[in-house]
Amino acid sequence: MAVLEILTLPDERLRQVSAPVTQFDDELRAFIADLEETRQAGPAAVGIAAPQVNVFKRIVIVDVSGRKNTPNHGYLVLVNPEITHWDGFEMAREGCLSVPDYTGNVIRAGKIRLSAYDPLGTPLEFEMEGYEARAVQHEMDHLDGTLFVDRVVSRRTDLFRRKVYRQGGPSA
Ligand code: NI
C-alpha cells in the first residue's frame, strides 16, 4: 500500500474526463487500497476520486460515517457511479484535497439515487441524502474534470480562504 500524491489546482490534469473501469481485477483492487490509504492520510477527507491521484478511471471513495447525525452507508467504494435521480437543492460548504486553500458554498441535489459497482464488479444501488449525497456528487464531479470552485455561485461571496487547513470543515 502507498499514499499517493494528490494533484492540486491549477494542475490541468484535474480537468481530464476519466474513463469507465472495464476490468475488475487485482490491479484495480490494489489501486483502491492505495486510494483509501491516501484518503485517510488527508486532513478530514470524507472522500477522494481516482483522478485526484493522476489515475483517470471512474472510481470514487466516500465515507461520511465520522460525522455526527449524518445518515450514511459507511465506507463506500463506487466504481463507474451513475446518478439516476436527483431531488431538491441544498447549499452547503465544501472543501477539497485538490483545492487546499479554500472552501466554498455549493448548491447540490439534496437527495440522489445512485447506481455503481463494487471492486468485485457487483452492481450496487443506493438512495442517499444530505451530506453523503453531497460528498458523492462532489467526488463524481472529479470524474468529469469539475471542481467545486467551478460551481460556487459567486467567487467573491461564496469562496473562503482557509486560515488553517483543518478549519472550514472536511475535504473531499
Ligand atoms: Ni474534491
Side-chain angles (χ1 to χ4, degrees):
M1 301 239 293
V3 174
L4 307 171
E5 186 188 347
I6 292 181
L7 304 182
T8 56
L9 213 62
D11 195 312
E12 282 298 313
R13 290 173 290 182
L14 289 165
R15 300 306 188 174
Q16 284 194 47
V17 175
S18 293
V21 170
T22 55
Q23 306 264 38
F24 291 83
D25 54 12
D26 287 346
E27 189 182 336
L28 172 70
R29 290 181 284 275
F31 168 70
I32 288 168
D34 287 346
L35 189 63
E36 171 60 4
E37 192 173 352
T38 306
R39 181 184 74 86
Q40 290 192 10
V46 294
I48 193 168
Q52 291 182 276
V53 297
N54 201 26
V55 173
F56 300 95
K57 295 180 180 173
R58 301 187 81 81
I59 304 163
V60 308
I61 296 174
V62 168
D63 185 352
V64 303
S65 61
R67 285 173 64 94
K68 284 183 186 153
N69 305 319
T70 303
N72 71 86
H73 296 83
Y75 167 72
L76 292 178
V77 178
L78 303 172
V79 181
N80 298 344
E82 300 275 358
I83 294 174
T84 57
H85 185 80
W86 290 259
D87 195 18
F89 293 97
E90 294 173 2
M91 167 106 88
R93 192 76 70 92
E94 296 187 10
C96 182
L97 295 171
S98 296
V99 190
D101 295 335
Y102 290 90
T103 62
N105 287 332
V106 182
I107 296 169
R108 302 278 188 190
K111 291 184 180 178
I112 57 172
R113 207 172 298 148
L114 177 77
S115 65
Y117 294 87
D118 77 3
L120 296 169
T122 307
L124 305 171
E125 299 254 11
F126 297 100
E127 290 194 12
M128 296 181 173
E129 60 182 305
Y131 196 79
E132 186 179 52
R134 172 172 298 274
V136 166
Q137 290 170 83
H138 174 115
E139 297 313 331
M140 287 180 62
D141 265 356
H142 281 295
L143 305 181
D144 292 319
T146 299
L147 300 169
F148 81 83
V149 293
D150 304 324
R151 291 196 183 274
V152 296
V153 174
S154 161
R155 292 199 175 205
R156 187 172 59 81
T157 59
D158 292 324
L159 269 186
F160 307 92
R161 184 173 273 281
R162 289 185 194 258
K163 295 186 183 72
V164 175
Y165 190 83
R166 281 182 180 275
Q167 287 181 359
S171 299

